[in-house]
């Protein structure tokens, strides 16, 4: 296991570090946890806004796919996306997380040492992606015969196109990680949370309206990745000094340090990225395309609910790397606890609504998809555990313990696949959901225990427990009222939303709640913990 690398000795020189270059200059090492909390609050809000945009547009994309192609066609489409996602995660080799771990500890600019890591991080993944793409294109036809119920020429072409796009997706993923470290977070969000999710439903929708079929639809899903890649190339060149005489030749120690961390992450990244898609592919093989389409639709809602967690992870990972690299585990744990409260408050209402009103949400995709209501409930309850423990995976990774993260992820995958093989043939999408839910709970409980041992600081406090209880009582109660009054259909969901809005307006008039809002807004604006402007 690799210990977290210490910052370079020259870190105190006048050269700028990447946090400063990125426009999110965090407090200097040695400041208190409140300053770090204010920094995480500002970046966290930006990431959450991006996640909300991403989630909304992702939902629109799911509606376009399911409405445009039906259960069987959307099953093929989701399987193709699964091929791209899993293959790209395999080929990335964990380098995207390695970049986020490494770059905040290096110096930017033409005289810095940050650009030296680019060949180390880019060359092996891109080489692996080219090999996988070539093999996948050649073997597309026999693979299509195994994945699809009734493979035809279009099905084989969809699979071939998916593999051909793997190098493109790998390059985009790696450069997005660099953008996150060298540019303000708004630049990253503009690409990841606006450009990609906005362009995809538009282009796929054009293909659907024109009647061009699955191949054109998948092409519409892939083209935005090429645009994002070009934008990222433009964004990273300046801050790293590329083209201005910066040294790009890495040292032998750069290779060893980087890949000692990244390789264990490579396997866990495959598991993380492919969690829902493993279920889609297993369901397609063991229960047919229609069941895979239903499970894929359920998975879209589950992943949309996770966007708040992903947004917070994007915001906090470089900060955690810096704090843990400089020997401040207590401050890192405080930041983790703060953002876990945010995750519970923002994500648990979504999952409670999905658990109780899953049928209503699925009816938006079409009547055939309401069969996934039980699967939705099972997965939504499992995601309460995932969100409740917070971003413990980021704590492990940013502390350099990628091996422990791999162990937790591998245990979750083993449970998911083992139960999936047993449950999917007889229970279809519901069996796939039960298997994935068990894997989610297993991985998160193991990761939580490992993170608590590594950090050596409490990861749960009374504030988190009070927030969880308040959300369960408020949202769970409102959802139950809606289900009793209007049923677990769209009418009941509308009643639930009305009750929540009315309750929210009432609670916002309570002085203690209003003070809490002022404090949070003060943190976001960069004020002091009580919401007042910082003293000069």
């Amino acid at each position: 296991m690799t210990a977290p690398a210490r910052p370079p000795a020259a870190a105190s020189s006048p050269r700028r570090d990447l946090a400063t270059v990125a426009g999110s200059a965090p407090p200097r090492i040695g400041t208190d946890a409140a300053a770090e909390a204010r920094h995480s609050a500002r970046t966290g809000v930006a990431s959450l806004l991006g996640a909300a945009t991403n989630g909304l547009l992702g939902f629109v994309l799911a509606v376009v796919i399911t409405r445009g192609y039906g259960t069987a066609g959307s099953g093929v489409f989701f399987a193709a996306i699964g091929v791209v996602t899993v293959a790209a995660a395999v080929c990335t080799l964990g380098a995207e997380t390695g970049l986020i771990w490494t770059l905040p500890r290096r110096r930017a600019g033409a005289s810095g040492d940050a650009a030296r890591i680019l060949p180390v991080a880019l060359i092996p993944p891109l080489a692996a992606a080219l090999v996988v793409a070539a093999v996948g294109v050649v073997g597309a036809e026999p693979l299509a015969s195994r994945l699809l119920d009734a493979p035809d020429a279009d099905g084989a072409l969809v699979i071939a196109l998916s593999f051909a796009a793997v190098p493109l997706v790998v390059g985009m993923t790696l450069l997005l990680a660099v953008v996150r470290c060298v540019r303000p977070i708004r630049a990253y969000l503009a690409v990841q949370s606006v450009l990609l999710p906005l362009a995809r439903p538009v282009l796929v929708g054009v293909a659907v309206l024109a009647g061009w079929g699955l191949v054109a639809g998948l092409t519409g899903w892939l083209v935005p990745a090429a645009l994002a890649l070009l934008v990222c190339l433009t964004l990273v060149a300046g801050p790293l000094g590329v083209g201005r005489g910066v040294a790009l030749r890495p040292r032998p120690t750069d290779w060893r340090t980087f890949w000692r961390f990244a390789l264990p992450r490579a396997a866990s990244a495959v598991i993380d990225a492919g969690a829902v898609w493993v279920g889609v592919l297993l369901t397609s093989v063991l229960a047919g395309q229609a069941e895979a389409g239903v499970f894929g639709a359920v998975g879209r809602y589950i992943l949309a609910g996770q966007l708040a967690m992903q947004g917070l992870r994007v915001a906090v990972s470089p900060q955690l790397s810096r704090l843990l690299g400089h020997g401040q585990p207590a401050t890192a744990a405080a930041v983790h606890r703060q953002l876990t409260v945010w995750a519970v408050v923002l994500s648990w209402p979504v999952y409670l609504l999905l658990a109780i009103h899953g049928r209503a949400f699925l009816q938006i995709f079409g009547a055939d998809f309401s069969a996934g209501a039980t699967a939705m409930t099972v997965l939504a309850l499992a995601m309460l555990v995932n969100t409740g423990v917070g971003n413990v995976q980021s704590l492990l990774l940013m502390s350099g313990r990628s091996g422990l993260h791999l162990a937790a992820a591998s245990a979750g995958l083993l449970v998911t696949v083992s139960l999936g093989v047993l449950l999917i043939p007889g229970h279809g999408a519901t069996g796939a959901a039960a298997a994935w839910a068990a894997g989610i709970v297993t991985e998160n409980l193991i990761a939580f225990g490992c993170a608590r041992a590594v950090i050596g600081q409490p990861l749960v406090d009374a504030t988190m427990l009070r927030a969880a209880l308040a959300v369960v009582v408020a949202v769970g109660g409102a959802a139950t009222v809606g289900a009793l009054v209007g049923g677990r259909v769209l009418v009941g969901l509308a009643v639930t939303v009305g009750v929540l809005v009315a309750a929210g307006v009432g609670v916002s008039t309570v002085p203690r709640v209003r003070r809490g809002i002022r404090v949070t807004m003060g943190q976001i604006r960069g004020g002091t913990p009580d919401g007042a402007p910082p003293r000069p």
Side-chain angles (χ1 to χ4, degrees):
M1 209 69 62
T2 306
R6 292 289 177 184
S12 60
S13 71
R15 298 171 181 174
R16 296 174 298 169
D17 63 19
L18 285 172
T20 303
V21 172
S24 58
R28 295 181 181 276
I29 301 303
T31 54
D32 59 17
E36 293 289 349
R38 291 194 296 272
H39 170 59
S40 64
R42 292 191 297 272
T43 57
V45 166
S47 293
L48 288 171
L49 291 175
T53 303
N54 203 337
L56 175 61
L57 295 173
F59 172 76
V60 172
L61 174 63
V63 171
V64 170
I65 294 173
T66 53
R67 287 286 186 177
Y69 296 107
T71 54
S74 61
V76 176
F77 204 116
F78 288 137
I81 295 175
V83 168
V84 177
T85 303
V86 175
V90 171
C91 296
T92 302
L93 303 176
E96 80 284 11
T97 307
L99 285 164
I100 295 174
W101 177 67
T102 303
L103 286 175
R105 305 168 187 235
R106 289 177 173 253
R107 300 183 308 279
S111 60
D113 60 350
R116 285 207 322 255
I117 209 66
L118 291 181
V120 176
L122 295 177
I123 291 175
L126 290 175
L130 290 171
V131 172
V132 168
V135 173
V137 169
V138 171
E141 188 169 346
L143 184 58
S145 67
R146 293 181 176 274
L147 285 178
L148 309 179
D149 288 344
D152 53 19
D154 282 348
L157 188 55
V158 165
I159 298 299
L161 181 60
S162 301
F163 276 104
V166 169
L168 170 66
V169 176
V170 168
M172 179 197 70
T173 301
L174 295 176
L175 289 178
L176 275 171
V178 180
V179 170
R180 174 62 193 97
C181 294
V182 305
R183 287 284 187 177
I185 194 169
R186 61 179 178 271
Y188 171 88
L189 295 175
V191 180
Q192 174 67 22
S193 299
V194 179
L195 173 61
L196 280 170
L198 179 60
R200 278 173 169 163
V202 170
L203 295 180
V204 175
V206 168
V208 169
L209 292 175
W212 290 340
L214 284 168
V215 175
L218 182 62
T219 302
W221 188 84
L222 292 171
V223 165
L227 298 176
L229 177 65
L230 295 176
V231 173
C232 289
L233 283 171
T234 303
L235 290 173
V236 304
L240 292 179
V242 176
R244 294 188 285 117
V246 69
L248 288 172
R249 185 174 181 180
R251 297 173 180 173
T253 54
D254 293 330
W255 289 92
R256 289 195 298 270
T257 301
F258 184 88
W259 287 108
R260 190 180 298 143
F261 170 85
L263 282 178
R265 172 56 180 157
S268 59
V270 174
I271 299 169
D272 290 345
V276 65
W277 303 116
V278 167
V280 170
L281 296 175
L282 277 175
T283 306
S284 180
V285 171
L286 299 176
Q289 288 171 215
E291 287 290 327
V294 171
F295 182 72
V298 171
R300 298 308 300 174
Y301 276 113
I302 296 301
L303 293 179
Q306 200 176 12
L307 284 172
M309 282 280 285
Q310 293 172 346
L312 293 173
R313 183 179 298 124
V314 165
V316 79
S317 290
Q319 184 183 10
L320 290 177
S321 175
R322 177 175 52 80
L323 290 171
L324 294 171
H326 287 81
Q328 292 185 283
T331 304
V335 169
H336 168 82
R337 291 193 298 270
Q338 179 196 38
L339 294 186
T340 302
V341 171
W342 285 32
V344 167
V345 170
L346 294 171
S347 295
W348 277 31
V350 174
Y351 288 123
L352 288 170
L353 290 177
L354 290 176
I356 297 174
H357 291 291
R359 185 178 301 277
F361 283 103
L362 288 168
Q363 285 176 341
I364 297 173
F365 290 154
D368 291 341
F369 290 91
S370 61
T374 302
M376 181 87 86
T377 299
V378 171
L379 280 171
L381 293 176
M383 294 305 292
L384 295 180
V385 177
N386 176 72
T387 309
V389 300
N391 276 317
V392 288
Q393 290 87 351
S394 291
L395 277 177
L396 285 176
L397 290 170
M398 294 303 105
S399 66
R401 301 300 201 272
S402 54
L404 289 177
H405 181 268
L406 172 59
S410 298
L413 178 65
L414 179 62
V415 171
T416 298
V417 174
S418 300
L419 289 180
V421 171
L422 293 174
L423 298 176
I424 291 173
H427 302 280
T430 302
W436 188 20
I440 289 170
V441 173
T442 299
E443 176 184 347
N444 279 277
L445 293 181
I446 293 175
F448 179 85
C450 291
R452 177 64 177 85
V454 168
I455 303 299
Q457 299 289 328
L459 303 181
V460 177
D461 59 12
T463 301
M464 291 170 54
L465 296 177
R466 286 195 298 268
L469 179 61
V471 170
V472 169
V473 171
V475 180
T480 302
V481 169
L484 292 174
V485 173
R488 298 177 64 182
V489 291
L490 289 174
V491 174
L493 178 59
V495 172
T496 298
V497 172
V499 171
L500 287 174
V501 170
V505 171
V507 170
S508 66
T509 63
V510 176
R512 183 175 179 181
V513 173
R514 296 176 66 179
R515 172 173 169 76
I517 295 173
R518 285 197 301 270
V519 169
T520 301
M521 294 305 298
Q523 289 183 332
I524 294 169
R525 291 192 298 265
T528 57
D530 62 359
R535 295 181 180 179

